[in-house]
């Protein structure tokens, strides 16, 4: 075992983690721990752009952007946070440009901007050009630029280290910690993939920037490595997860594969058509049509397929038509995604429409934070020394449905804020004592998994999980389908107790780590489904066929899900009888739901029409 | 609810399956083979659109959990899974089985020139060390403008090709000079130097060119075009290296 001490430890080296590192490392001794090489992070797969009301190509302002974000999130957005997002967007884009990011340019040499779903001028009048972009590899350029600047600033990285435990001085999942008692994060336990050695990192401040959890679904745009590690680690310590029922299904995944084709394809003029060749979005969103927000487009597509207007031999997808665009325009603006269609489906987008179907894409929910990036342990108290930013976190700027180009923005704005907050806190804070043996839980978990005799295969349990989530908790949900998913998850949890790995070695044992990651996936699927069962309304990415309307009277609240000991009280903070009072018992613990108010500033909830 | 679930393979329009054999070069110092590398052969069932990565996953998940390789995004943008497939460097997630003749065993080996850690995993540190050496970041002097720096679309296009690099090392580990001389910067580092040397906003070209003028720099390139052929992003690597060489002679960039 090795022990390290840093002022600030950042877990995750995607956009949010590296943006935080660039801030924190200016003022504090900082280490970044990442399970991948930084440039492998999934920020690099983001394509279309980063929103900011620069008004470089047409009139725009950050207030319109705030409104679009709030409306796009079906009013479950915390409006103070959305305002910060939209305001600081401008500086964030300029920061990146100064760091060297090669944005596409206007003829005058300014940063070029293009249209994207849900971004409008003057509160929904028409689509506006707000997305700053670098071809269709904006995320790649952000990830590269941030890494380049980390190299310049000599940020210290621990690559291919898996963080497997969060150390806190109170474990809220195991003990009763009364309100008002201070809870501190004191370090993390990590596993060095190359050697199998355990490392303890003691830190004054810890930032979680571990990304999403798309691998709970089968059809997903997410990387194999997006297994919800940070969310699950916080959850296991009894910290709440917020709004986990809201998962975004991106409309245009390559059919059958889930590989993402950017919304930029529609921003540049691409049109969705059904088997009759009809531009069906005209029926669902008459004003902005194909550029409606993702939840609406995904549902419309799934509905076309369900009503028998799907294309292809099995009528199970719709078509993304780019054939009316000039090949030169496609090459200039959408080179990568058109190559995906060629490589993986053998389709030539110049002349043939591309088969697409919704793919699990983004977790709107996550570890709750305030606008400084501090992690909350309930509706109001923070965990001292713990921060989160990016997809792992829930600020909440995305509410129940994120707008395209707002995630690359989120990681930059709130990554920067979390980095600053953590470094400032590290300046005034002291190192806190760690438990006598902080690694005992991780070591025994790894040893047990490694030494378990023959049992279920990790891949069989994972596939079963992903299949039930796709079948029962995807674009359309019902109480019945969600309860089926929950029953399946309970069963799979039992099977997980018996999974075994074949690789018993110490060196680069990815077999072992996949088994550990499956544990994270089960946790995240569990909390996603429990929260979805409880929310008996339809809002943003969460659509309940048995409750098709939005219900502001009873559900205009954030869900907060807590893992608690079986003996703990059945009421969490924000308990609302009949609406947010759900408790679900599992073996050895229970999930207790509560709520948190939505911050509203200037926008009254309205019906969401486009 | 998904396309995949609603389309059992027996339905019309289903993609036919076929058997494919992979011959994988393995190395595991913890196994009975010790420091010797060895070959394993696996036969798995694949489908028309499956990639080499799908076949490797099938092996790992259904046959032999100890088979070790890196992967993440699985669609050619993260750069984790560069490997030597039938003797050519490619990304396993971008190589369709049907395109590498599945009628014969497909050989899969780690990329060359970097120390093998386990099976298909190599030590990437020397590769990233060369990358860091060429100062892969924007260098500017003077005060920052309040808003963005102005750059014409033409100036932006000048280095567009080399911004595509995903640092997968397919190019560097396909280079015969790099195989015999691990000190050579290698194509990827030069590509990333090019990305800044030809960026009109950058003022560090002089320093980078001096670094690359070193005896292990661009002049070791023998223009064999292996790198260009290997690049999964379609970057014209050899051309970029030529442009850096020319800039060094003419100091025009």
């Amino acid at each position: 075992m090795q022990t390290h001490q840093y002022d600030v430890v950042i877990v995750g080296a995607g956009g949010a983690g590296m943006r935080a590192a660039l801030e924190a490392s200016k003022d504090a001794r900082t280490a970044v721990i990442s399970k991948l090489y930084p440039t492998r992070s999934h920020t690099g797969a983001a394509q279309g752009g980063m929103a900011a009301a620069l008004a470089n190509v047409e009139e725009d302002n950050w207030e319109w952007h705030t409104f679009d974000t709030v409306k796009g999130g079906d009013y479950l957005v915390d409006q103070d946070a959305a305002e910060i997002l939209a305001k600081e967007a401008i500086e964030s884009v300029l920061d990146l440009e100064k760091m060297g990011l090669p944005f596409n340019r206007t003829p005058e040499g300014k940063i070029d901007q293009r249209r994207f779903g849900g971004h409008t001028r003057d509160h929904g009048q028409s689509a506006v050009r707000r997305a700053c972009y670098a071809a269709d590899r904006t995320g790649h350029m952000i990830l590269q630029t941030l890494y380049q600047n980390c190299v310049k600033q000599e940020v210290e990285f621990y690559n291919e280290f898996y963080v497997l435990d969060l150390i806190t001085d109170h474990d809220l999942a195991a003990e009763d910690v009364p309100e008002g008692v201070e809870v501190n994060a004191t370090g993390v336990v990590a596993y060095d993939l190359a050697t199998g050695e355990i490392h303890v990192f003691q830190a004054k401040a810890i930032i979680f920037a571990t990304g999403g959890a798309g691998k709970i679904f089968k059809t997903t745009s997410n990387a194999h490595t997006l297994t919800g590690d940070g969310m699950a680690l916080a959850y296991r310590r009894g910290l709440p997860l917020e709004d986990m029922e809201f998962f975004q299904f991106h409309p245009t995944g390559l059919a059958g594969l889930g590989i993402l084709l950017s919304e930029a394809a529609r921003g540049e003029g691409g049109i969705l058509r059904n088997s009759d060749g009809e531009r069906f979005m005209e029926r669902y969103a008459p004003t902005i049509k194909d550029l409606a927000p993702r939840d609406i487009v995904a549902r419309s597509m799934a509905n076309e397929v369900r009503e028998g207007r799907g294309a292809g031999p099995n009528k199970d997808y719709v078509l993304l038509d780019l054939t009316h665009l000039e090949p030169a325009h496609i090459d200039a603006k959408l080179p990568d995604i058109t190559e995906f269609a060629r490589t993986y489906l053998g389709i030539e987008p110049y002349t043939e429409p591309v088969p697409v179907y919704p793919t699990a894409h983004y977790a709107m929910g996550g570890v709750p934070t305030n606008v400084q990036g501090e992690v909350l342990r309930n509706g109001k108290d923070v965990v001292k020394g713990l921060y989160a930013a990016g997809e792992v976190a829930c600020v909440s700027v995305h509410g129940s449905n994120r707008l395209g180009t707002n995630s690359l923005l989120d990681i930059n704005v709130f990554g920067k804020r979390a980095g600053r907050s953590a470094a400032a806190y590290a300046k005034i804070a002291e190192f806190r004592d760690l438990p006598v043996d902080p690694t005992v839980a991780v070591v025994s978990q790894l040893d047990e998994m490694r030494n378990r005799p023959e049992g279920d295969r990790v891949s069989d349990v994972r596939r079963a999980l992903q299949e039930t989530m796709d079948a029962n908790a995807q674009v359309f949900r019902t109480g019945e389908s969600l309860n089926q998913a929950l029953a399946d998850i309970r069963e799979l949890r039992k099977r997980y107790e018996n999974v075994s790995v074949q690789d018993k070695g110490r060196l680069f044992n990815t077999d072992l780590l996949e088994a550990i990651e499956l544990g994270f996936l089960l946790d995240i699927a569990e909390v996603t489904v429990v929260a979805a069962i409880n929310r008996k309304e339809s809002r943003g990415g969460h659509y309940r066929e048995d409750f098709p309307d939005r219900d502001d009277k009873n559900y205009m609240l954030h869900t907060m899900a807590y893992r608690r000991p079986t003996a703990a009280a059945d009421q969490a903070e924000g308990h609302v009888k009949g609406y947010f009072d759900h408790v679900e018992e599992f073996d050895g613990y229970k999930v207790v739901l509560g709520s948190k108010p939505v911050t509203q500033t200037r926008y009254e909830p309205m019906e969401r029409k486009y | 609810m998904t396309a995949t679930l609603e389309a059992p393979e027996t339905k019309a329009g289903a993609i036919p399956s076929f058997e494919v054999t992979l011959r994988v070069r393995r190395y595991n110092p913890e196994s009975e083979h010790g420091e010797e590398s060895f070959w394993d052969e696996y036969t798995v069932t694949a489908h028309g659109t499956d990639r080499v990565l799908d076949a490797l996953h099938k092996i790992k998940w259904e046959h032999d959990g100890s088979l070790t390789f890196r992967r993440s995004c699985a669609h050619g943008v993260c750069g984790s899974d560069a490997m030597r497939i039938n003797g050519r460097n490619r990304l396993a997630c971008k190589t369709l089985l049907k395109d590498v003749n599945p009628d014969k065993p497909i050989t899969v080996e780690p990329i060359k020139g970097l120390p093998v850690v386990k099976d298909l995993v190599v030590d990437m540190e020397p590769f990233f060390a060369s990358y860091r050496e060429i100062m892969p970041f924007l260098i500017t002097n003077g005060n920052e403008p309040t808003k963005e720096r102005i750059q014409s679309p033409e100036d932006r296009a000048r280095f567009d090709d080399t911004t595509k690099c995903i640092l997968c090392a397919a190019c560097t580990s396909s280079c015969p000079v790099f195989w015999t001389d691990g000190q050579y910067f290698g194509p990827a580092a030069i590509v990333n130097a090019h990305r800044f040397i030809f960026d009109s906003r950058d003022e560090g070209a002089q320093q980078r060119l001096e670094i690359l003028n070193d005896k292990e720099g661009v002049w070791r390139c023998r223009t064999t075009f292996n790198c260009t052929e290997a690049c999964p992003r379609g970057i014209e690597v050899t051309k970029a290296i030529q442009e850096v060489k020319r800039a060094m002679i003419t100091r025009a960039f």
Side-chain angles (χ1 to χ4, degrees):
Chain A
M1 186 187 85
Q2 292 189 38
T3 309
H4 313 263
Q5 229 183 29
Y6 287 92
D7 291 333
V8 178
V9 161
I10 298 168
V11 185
M18 290 203 283
R19 188 66 191 84
L22 289 174
E23 289 307 306
S25 62
K26 281 188 220 156
D27 298 316
R29 195 163 166 265
T30 300
V32 183
I33 308 174
S34 170
K35 72 178 185 179
L36 300 170
Y37 269 88
T39 57
R40 314 296 183 220
S41 302
H42 211 55
T43 295
Q47 299 164 354
M50 172 170 167
L54 299 182
N56 275 1
V57 289
E58 61 182 309
E59 187 188 359
D60 197 8
N61 66 64
W62 62 259
E63 191 272 319
W64 294 351
H65 185 185
T66 309
F67 172 78
D68 290 337
T69 300
V70 171
K71 181 181 174 189
D74 220 348
Y75 295 91
L76 201 73
V77 172
D78 285 326
Q79 298 184 8
D80 56 339
E83 196 169 305
I84 289 170
L85 182 83
K87 245 190 221 174
E88 295 181 10
I90 294 161
E91 182 188 276
S92 287
V93 165
L94 295 177
D95 276 356
L96 287 169
E97 197 283 329
K98 286 168 196 170
M99 284 184 210
L101 198 140
F103 284 108
N104 276 42
R105 300 288 171 156
T106 64
E108 306 80 52
K110 293 198 275 187
I111 295 169
D112 197 15
Q113 300 188 274
R114 66 176 163 204
R115 297 189 180 110
F116 238 79
H119 290 280
T120 68
R121 53 171 286 114
D122 197 11
H123 314 94
Q125 295 302 315
S126 57
V128 74
R129 292 181 178 85
R130 186 179 288 147
C132 309
Y133 66 100
D136 55 354
R137 47 176 181 278
T138 315
H140 165 77
M141 292 319 326
I142 289 177
L143 190 69
Q144 296 288 326
T145 301
L146 292 174
Y147 182 62
Q148 289 157 1
N149 281 271
C150 285
V151 169
K152 184 179 186 181
Q153 226 167 283
E154 296 179 355
V155 172
E156 219 176 315
F157 286 98
Y158 290 84
N159 295 328
E160 296 182 328
F161 274 56
Y162 285 65
V163 169
L164 299 183
D165 204 358
L166 165 68
I167 311 170
T168 54
D169 56 1
H170 291 287
D171 184 349
L172 290 96
E175 51 186 301
D176 184 30
V177 185
E179 270 185 47
V181 172
E182 195 174 287
V183 178
N184 294 278
T186 55
V188 295
V189 180
Y191 172 93
D192 177 3
L193 184 63
T195 64
E197 205 178 352
I198 300 290
H199 292 245
V200 175
F201 291 83
Q202 189 181 21
K204 294 176 181 170
I206 297 152
I207 303 174
F208 271 10
T210 55
K215 278 288 156 180
I216 59 175
F217 293 97
K218 182 178 174 191
T219 308
T220 175
S221 64
N222 282 202
H224 286 285
T225 41
L226 285 170
T227 48
D229 305 15
M231 294 175 189
L233 292 176
Y235 180 58
R236 287 174 183 183
R237 285 280 172 235
L239 302 179
L241 293 180
E242 179 178 350
D243 289 342
M244 292 298 287
E245 64 272 38
F246 298 107
F247 209 96
Q248 176 164 86
F249 299 90
H250 193 293
T252 52
L254 280 184
L257 294 170
I259 295 171
L260 184 68
L261 295 188
S262 172
E263 196 169 305
R266 284 170 284 137
E268 296 291 351
I271 290 169
L272 291 166
R273 298 188 190 280
N274 60 21
S275 55
D276 306 329
E278 184 205 6
R279 183 180 194 180
F280 56 86
M281 282 312 299
E282 283 178 334
R283 274 187 276 121
Y284 298 93
T287 312
I288 54 177
K289 304 183 180 79
D290 300 90
L291 286 175
R294 290 174 180 173
D295 57 331
I296 294 173
V297 179
R299 247 184 334 266
S300 308
M301 290 167 64
N303 198 50
E304 289 300 298
V305 166
R306 201 155 65 157
E307 294 183 353
R309 293 187 294 276
N314 300 316
K315 298 182 146 304
D316 57 359
Y317 53 76
V318 302
L319 297 165
L320 175 64
D321 185 2
L322 303 175
T323 56
H324 54 290
L325 302 179
E326 282 299 317
H329 183 70
I330 293 178
D331 288 348
K333 302 295 179 75
L334 307 166
D336 283 11
I337 62 165
T338 41
E339 180 168 332
F340 293 155
R342 289 181 198 119
T343 304
Y344 297 114
L345 293 183
I347 295 275
E348 176 46 67
Y350 294 159
T351 53
E352 297 166 90
V354 185
V356 289
Y357 199 76
T359 180
H361 185 55
Y362 187 88
M364 268 72 74
V367 178
T369 71
N370 60 23
V371 295
Q372 309 305 333
E374 295 173 289
V375 170
L376 301 171
R377 60 167 281 210
N378 51 37
K380 52 185 186 300
D381 302 317
V382 302
V383 180
K384 293 264 186 177
L386 187 61
Y387 303 80
E391 192 174 344
V392 68
C394 181
V395 184
S396 149
V397 287
H398 307 307
S400 59
N401 172 61
R402 174 174 70 73
L403 290 188
T405 67
N406 266 357
S407 64
L408 288 179
L409 176 56
D410 178 10
I411 59 177
N412 278 286
V413 168
F414 289 99
K416 183 175 178 179
R417 282 179 160 249
R420 274 195 185 165
S421 305
Y425 179 70
K427 272 207 168 128
I428 55 161
E430 299 292 326
F431 284 106
R432 289 177 180 269
D433 290 341
L434 298 178
V436 183
D437 186 359
T439 66
V440 63
V442 167
V443 170
S444 68
Q445 181 195 20
L446 290 169
D447 283 349
E448 212 234 310
M449 188 66 85
R450 201 187 261 119
N451 297 323
R452 212 177 274 165
E454 207 146 299
D456 248 322
R457 278 185 183 279
V458 168
S459 59
D460 289 341
V461 176
R462 186 176 49 215
R463 189 180 308 117
L465 173 71
Q466 293 167 337
E467 284 179 355
T468 187
M469 290 300 285
D470 263 24
N472 297 309
Q474 223 224 22
V475 175
F476 293 118
R477 302 166 171 183
T478 64
E480 196 188 344
S481 74
L482 291 166
N483 277 299
Q484 180 60 50
L486 185 61
D488 291 343
I489 291 167
R490 287 179 187 282
E491 188 58 37
L492 293 168
R493 278 205 167 283
K494 289 207 190 83
R495 285 175 64 187
Y496 183 63
E497 300 295 313
N498 292 313
V499 297
S500 71
V501 299
Q502 289 180 305
D503 192 339
K504 310 290 185 189
R506 299 264 151 205
L507 307 181
F508 225 98
N509 190 340
T510 51
D511 201 21
L512 179 65
L513 267 299
E514 280 192 39
I516 300 292
E517 288 173 327
L518 174 57
F520 297 144
L521 290 176
L522 285 163
D523 283 349
I524 300 308
E526 163 192 296
V527 69
T528 301
V529 169
V530 170
I533 287 172
N534 183 65
R535 190 174 285 274
K536 296 182 181 67
E537 66 157 350
S538 291
R539 184 187 294 275
H542 172 68
Y543 190 80
R544 287 280 301 256
E545 293 187 87
D546 41 356
F547 299 96
D549 298 322
R550 197 173 83 190
D551 176 2
D552 285 348
K553 183 163 167 283
N554 297 307
Y555 288 102
M556 182 54 99
L557 289 166
H558 297 294
T559 303
M560 299 286 269
Y562 301 83
R563 182 179 277 191
R564 287 289 177 259
T566 307
D570 277 346
Q571 294 190 358
E573 192 188 303
H575 157 97
V576 181
K577 198 165 173 340
Y579 298 95
F580 288 88
D581 63 352
H582 194 84
V583 178
E584 202 68 55
E585 302 268 352
F586 291 89
D587 269 354
Y589 64 91
K590 61 187 178 189
V591 180
V592 183
L593 296 189
S595 70
K596 187 163 80 89
V598 176
T599 307
Q600 193 183 319
T601 55
R602 63 174 93 184
Y603 306 109
E604 283 291 331
M606 294 186 307
E607 196 194 344
R608 197 159 153 257
K609 277 192 187 155
Y610 287 95
Chain B
M1 205 52 69
T2 69
T4 350
L5 276 185
E6 287 177 351
E9 284 145 27
T10 47
K11 277 192 191 170
I15 302 152
S17 63
F18 55 92
E19 301 273 289
V20 61
T21 300
L22 269 70
R23 218 171 146 252
V24 186
R25 190 182 185 88
R26 306 198 56 186
Y27 168 76
N28 183 354
E30 288 181 301
S31 73
E32 79 262 17
H33 298 275
E35 293 297 325
E36 294 292 312
S37 67
F38 56 101
W39 293 91
D40 265 337
E41 252 185 44
Y42 306 90
T43 301
V44 293
T45 307
H47 301 278
T49 56
D50 279 358
R51 300 150 268 172
V52 171
L53 180 63
D54 295 310
L56 290 171
H57 270 146
K58 212 151 199 185
I59 295 168
K60 185 174 182 67
W61 293 341
E62 293 169 19
H63 300 273
D64 183 353
S66 74
L67 179 67
T68 303
F69 49 91
R70 289 192 180 99
R71 91 286 187 258
S72 186
C73 79
H75 64 284
V77 298
C78 81
S80 298
D81 63 349
M83 46 190 83
R84 219 170 138 78
I85 298 166
N86 282 353
R88 228 187 96 186
N89 282 1
R90 318 172 201 237
L91 298 182
C93 62
K94 250 189 129 170
T95 308
L96 269 61
L97 289 166
K98 66 178 177 58
D99 296 339
V100 283
N101 188 12
D103 297 338
K104 286 198 241 164
I106 297 166
T107 61
V108 183
E109 305 161 79
I111 49 176
K112 282 171 80 170
L114 291 161
V116 180
V117 174
K118 184 177 175 181
D119 294 345
L120 302 169
V121 174
V122 300
D123 180 4
M124 294 292 286
E125 262 322 304
F127 173 81
F128 277 100
S130 291
Y131 167 76
R132 287 190 295 263
E133 258 184 81
I134 54 91
M135 302 196 292
F137 39 80
L138 193 74
I139 297 172
T140 57
N141 305 312
N143 293 332
E144 281 193 342
T146 342
K147 297 194 80 182
E148 69 262 52
R149 292 192 174 78
I150 298 297
Q151 181 170 54
S152 70
E154 296 70 34
D155 282 345
R156 166 65 180 78
R158 184 67 190 85
F159 63 102
D160 186 63
D161 198 36
T162 45
T163 65
K164 295 179 196 159
C165 175
I166 55 174
L167 299 167
C168 67
C171 61
T172 295
S173 64
S174 74
C175 172
V177 178
F178 181 76
W179 295 339
T180 52
D181 175 7
Q183 300 295 308
Y184 171 46
F185 278 94
I190 302 170
V191 159
N192 281 280
H194 178 283
R195 178 251 170 273
F196 288 100
I197 292 168
F198 292 93
D199 185 335
S200 58
R201 300 169 298 172
D202 184 82
E203 293 166 84
Q206 206 61 37
Q207 298 164 63
R208 286 192 201 91
L209 288 174
E210 253 149 55
I211 293 166
L212 289 174
N213 201 15
D214 181 270
K215 65 176 171 37
E216 301 295 351
V218 285
W219 305 114
R220 302 296 316 266
C221 168
R222 290 288 174 269
T223 332
T224 46
F225 284 90
N226 280 17
C227 49
T228 301
E229 220 170 278
C231 180
R233 304 282 294 147
I235 301 171
E236 293 181 272
V237 182
T238 315
K239 182 178 166 205
I241 297 173
Q242 288 303 100
E243 288 180 349
V244 171
K245 286 178 181 170
R246 200 173 310 129
M248 220 168 262
I249 297 166
T250 60
R251 299 282 158 171
F253 39 82

